[in-house]
């Protein structure tokens, strides 16, 4: 059994941002030398998500509006968590909707994705250095 | 390490449908010859989910109502995504609530599920051929 | 390839409760002897979640309020599922928001978690014995 570990680092300019990381994850798969296996991709921070959906700008804006409706950033006093001095209570909620991680099959050395499946890093509390873990096991 | 890959295909008659696929996934596990390992089951489309919950018709109708409340199908103009000519903006949102995938343990050659755990394919934009990936690794 | 299986049991005193299980999962990883691999942690019940986020009491209360807003416990007649004699329709919904499972990388024999990542068991229909499955594969 082979295993491979890589970190992907991000520092967004805005609080919220949605970044297509499919090519970077495929790069990790290629580096791993694994032909058949599983690839785990997870946010290492608790105010960010890794999810799979379409790379379509209208949809991404729809998601952003919807998440803001389900868990608004303001008023920051809405969240007990913000009494700790944070202002990211909303980000902890948005991340639960979109999820922490995806597990993707590796087949013939490639991410085994459907036609429109793209892997995204969703940042909900950005403007600082944060990272994603890629862990690959297989043969 | 062994690995096994199978696709399950679906074409629902209605836009939304919830299909119990536990037996089909167990069939893939049996075909794989894997006794101890992990089984990834994921939608290969971005308007469908694979999730685990109860096979109880009232609950499934409750889920459907709730998802329609959280991300209504109409008016289709509600979603920027639909300006691309699609009418499935809601389906991309419903899928995020219910999730893309499940990973299930394999123990003694069987899906290692709790008493009431059943694996479902949830279709949110059906009436065309779509598929689920089952990827198994283990020994 | 090595594999390891453990069950963690819970019986909460209240209907809803959020329990940090990180140390218990690390214990299973240590027992497994796996240095590089994947660790699946999933609720075996369909009214409970395993999720990863911050161990901060204000945030946990925020989550509880938010889940109760998205899927209220009462009136129990709100859910068709409760016509079966249950009163846990809400719990099946809350669990879908927070998720069934997490998969965590194992590196150098340790759970490969970010600084603030903690693994939680979230109970939405407690006061009876329920369990979580930990399944580890790797080398």
């Amino acid at each position: 059994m082979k295993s491979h570990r890589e970190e992907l680092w991000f520092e967004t300019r805005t609080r919220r941002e949605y970044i297509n990381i499919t090519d970077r994850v495929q790069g990790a798969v290629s580096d791993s030398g694994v032909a058949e296996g599983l690839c785990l991709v997870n946010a290492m921070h608790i105010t960010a998500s890794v999810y799979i959906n379409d790379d379509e700008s209208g949809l991404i804006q729809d998601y952003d509006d919807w998440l803001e409706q389900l868990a608004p950033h303001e008023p920051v006093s809405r969240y007990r968590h913000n009494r700790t001095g944070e202002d990211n209570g909303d980000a902890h909620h948005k991340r639960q909707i979109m999820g922490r991680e995806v597990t993707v099959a590796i087949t013939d050395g490639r991410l085994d994705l459907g036609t429109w499946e793209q892997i995204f890093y969703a940042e909900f509390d950005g403007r600082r250095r944060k990272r994603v873990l890629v862990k690959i096991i297989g043969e």
Side-chain angles (χ1 to χ4, degrees), chain A residues 10-19 47-49 51 60-74 76 79 87-95 98 120-128 130:
Chain A
F10 303 91
E11 184 167 359
T12 64
R13 275 164 303 173
T14 52
R15 183 183 300 275
R16 297 201 298 277
E17 213 167 306
Y18 303 81
I19 301 167
T47 50
S49 291
Y51 74 92
I60 290 170
Q61 190 59 51
D62 288 335
Y63 278 151
D64 196 66
D65 289 355
W66 183 62
L67 293 168
E68 183 60 12
Q69 179 190 321
L70 289 174
H73 179 62
E74 295 189 317
V76 295
Y79 303 97
D87 69 351
N88 64 8
D90 66 310
H92 289 273
H93 290 66
K94 290 175 167 101
R95 122 69 173 262
M98 298 302 272
F120 275 84
Y121 174 69
E123 176 62 80
F124 302 119
D125 183 34
R127 298 178 294 192
R128 53 198 173 99
K130 292 169 77 172

Side-chain angles (χ1 to χ4, degrees), chain A residues 98-113:
Chain A
M98 298 302 272
R100 167 187 180 258
E101 76 207 24
V102 296
T103 302
V104 182
I106 300 170
T107 303
D108 291 334
R110 306 282 307 169
L111 292 168
D112 197 338
L113 295 169

Side-chain angles (χ1 to χ4, degrees), chain A residues 54-62 120:
Chain A
D54 200 359
D55 192 350
E56 196 276 301
S57 61
L59 177 66
I60 290 170
Q61 190 59 51
D62 288 335
F120 275 84

